[in-house]
Amino acid sequence: MHKLALFRLHLIVFLWGFTAILGKMIHANAQVLVFYRMLFAAVFLFVFIRFFKKESIRVSKKIFFQLAAIGFAMALHWYCFFYSIKISNVSIALSCLSLSTLFASVLEPIIFKRKIDVSEVIMGIVIVACILLIFKTEFQYKEGIFYGILCAIFGTIFSVFNGKMFGKTSSDNIIFYEIFCGWFILMLFYLFTGQFFEMSEINYRDLALICLLASVFTAYPMLESVKLMKYISPFTLILTVNLEPVYGIILAFFIFGESEQMSPVFYIASAVMILAIIANGVIKSYKTKKL
């Protein structure tokens, strides 16, 4: 059962890595893409929870507003991610995701009231040095790197606060309300800024790809990752999820060719970042076992 769980884990990480590929294949801009991704994912989750699992989606007002705030951070995270892809490429957006670990090393101790881990600080310094190196060698993608960094910040906020929500209601409800509320806030923003009618400027091809993105590459992996926690440790989950940029960058290179070819320095710096994250995970696991 453990081997099957590991296979399922790598499958969903592979699917997450492929979201960047779909993001580039979809011609609609980042605003439209995220709007429909969240809408379709919310619908799929609602149908699954209410009609397949036949569970209640009722939550208290306090939990609802907390999930709404986290959902807004999720929406900003996805917007910055896809916008970074649109104005640069998949490799840049995915490499910047590695900064999430650095931001988490600062934010998580504050939110969960624990001491800052020295190994996390050292790893953070290594990651920042790698990002600065990428910025220097790939300066033509400076705007994409900027939004990639914002993506990592909002992703960290979403992940850390999301960790405080588990146990307050079912995992399915948490995921559903975060995605639904993120979409609803976007809709209100577009209504008040007069951009709502721009959401109709999308072709059937893009709608079909976004539908695929929302179901197979969003709703399913999120639900599956929660189920897998019964069979694998949080450490194994986090460590494997760090392979997302690896899968995505390799896939982008083979699918899109020249537009994804970066300098050797970029690949070296990206490899160092990913290895630093994995090494940190191994160190943490060793410390936990000693305790």
Side-chain angles (χ1 to χ4, degrees):
M1 192 65 194
H2 181 69
K3 288 183 179 179
L4 179 60
L6 284 175
F7 171 77
R8 288 161 58 192
L9 176 59
H10 278 277
L11 175 62
I12 64 173
V13 173
F14 175 82
L15 293 177
W16 276 328
F18 205 84
T19 59
I21 307 299
L22 282 174
K24 187 166 182 175
M25 292 173 67
I26 294 167
H27 297 147
N29 63 40
Q31 286 176 301
V32 174
L33 194 163
V34 174
F35 178 85
Y36 283 108
R37 180 191 189 182
M38 300 193 87
L39 172 61
F40 291 160
V43 171
F44 291 135
L45 288 167
F46 177 80
V47 171
F48 176 77
I49 296 168
R50 292 294 293 129
F51 298 103
F52 285 87
K53 296 188 74 174
K54 297 182 179 178
E55 294 179 354
S56 171
I57 59 169
R58 289 187 178 181
V59 295
S60 67
K61 287 183 179 179
K62 181 181 178 181
I63 290 176
F64 174 82
F65 285 113
Q66 288 174 337
L67 292 175
I70 297 171
F72 182 51
M74 177 195 284
L76 292 174
H77 164 65
W78 282 348
Y79 170 76
C80 290
F81 178 66
F82 288 115
Y83 189 70
S84 176
I85 290 171
K86 298 292 183 183
I87 60 177
S88 57
N89 59 31
V90 171
S91 299
I92 288 292
L94 286 172
S95 65
C96 289
L97 274 181
S98 300
L99 279 169
S100 297
T101 308
L102 166 63
F103 298 137
S105 70
V106 176
L107 184 59
E108 190 179 314
I110 296 171
I111 301 302
F112 288 91
K113 296 178 180 177
R114 67 168 177 82
K115 291 183 179 179
I116 293 177
D117 193 317
V118 176
S119 64
E120 290 180 346
V121 175
I122 294 172
M123 181 193 61
I125 294 170
V126 171
I127 291 174
V128 168
C130 290
I131 288 292
L132 289 173
L133 194 58
I134 288 173
F135 185 80
K136 184 178 179 181
T137 55
E138 308 293 344
F139 190 72
Q140 69 271 30
Y141 297 123
K142 59 183 181 297
E143 192 177 355
I145 294 172
F146 173 74
Y147 278 94
I149 293 171
L150 283 181
C151 165
I153 293 172
F154 289 123
T156 304
I157 293 170
F158 157 69
S159 299
V160 172
F161 282 96
N162 200 40
K164 295 207 66 152
M165 296 305 300
F166 279 97
K168 295 184 178 181
T169 182
S170 72
S171 299
D172 293 344
N173 281 353
I174 289 173
I175 296 168
F176 166 70
Y177 277 110
E178 286 173 349
I179 292 179
F180 171 75
C181 291
W183 168 79
F184 189 74
I185 292 170
L186 286 180
M187 184 190 69
L188 291 178
F189 175 77
Y190 295 148
L191 277 172
F192 284 115
T193 57
Q195 301 177 63
F196 185 74
F197 293 105
E198 292 179 17
M199 297 303 110
S200 62
E201 296 176 4
I202 185 170
N203 58 49
Y204 290 114
R205 173 190 173 276
D206 280 354
L207 276 176
L209 287 175
I210 293 174
C211 188
L212 182 67
L213 173 64
S215 55
V216 178
F217 297 89
T218 304
Y220 166 70
M222 284 186 161
L223 292 170
E224 182 74 346
S225 64
V226 173
K227 292 179 184 177
L228 288 175
M229 293 302 290
K230 297 177 184 177
Y231 309 105
I232 60 175
S233 66
F235 164 73
T236 303
L237 176 65
I238 294 168
L239 197 62
T240 309
V241 167
N242 287 325
L243 292 173
E244 179 188 343
V246 178
Y247 289 142
I249 290 172
I250 293 173
L251 284 168
F253 181 81
F254 284 105
I255 293 172
F256 299 117
E258 289 186 7
S259 66
E260 290 294 330
Q261 287 183 3
M262 311 294 287
S263 67
V265 173
F266 169 84
Y267 293 110
I268 294 170
S270 297
V272 169
M273 284 192 293
I274 293 164
L275 287 173
I277 293 168
I278 293 173
N280 180 64
V282 172
I283 292 168
K284 280 187 175 180
S285 178
Y286 178 73
K287 286 180 179 178
T288 303
K289 286 179 181 178
K290 285 188 71 176
L291 294 173

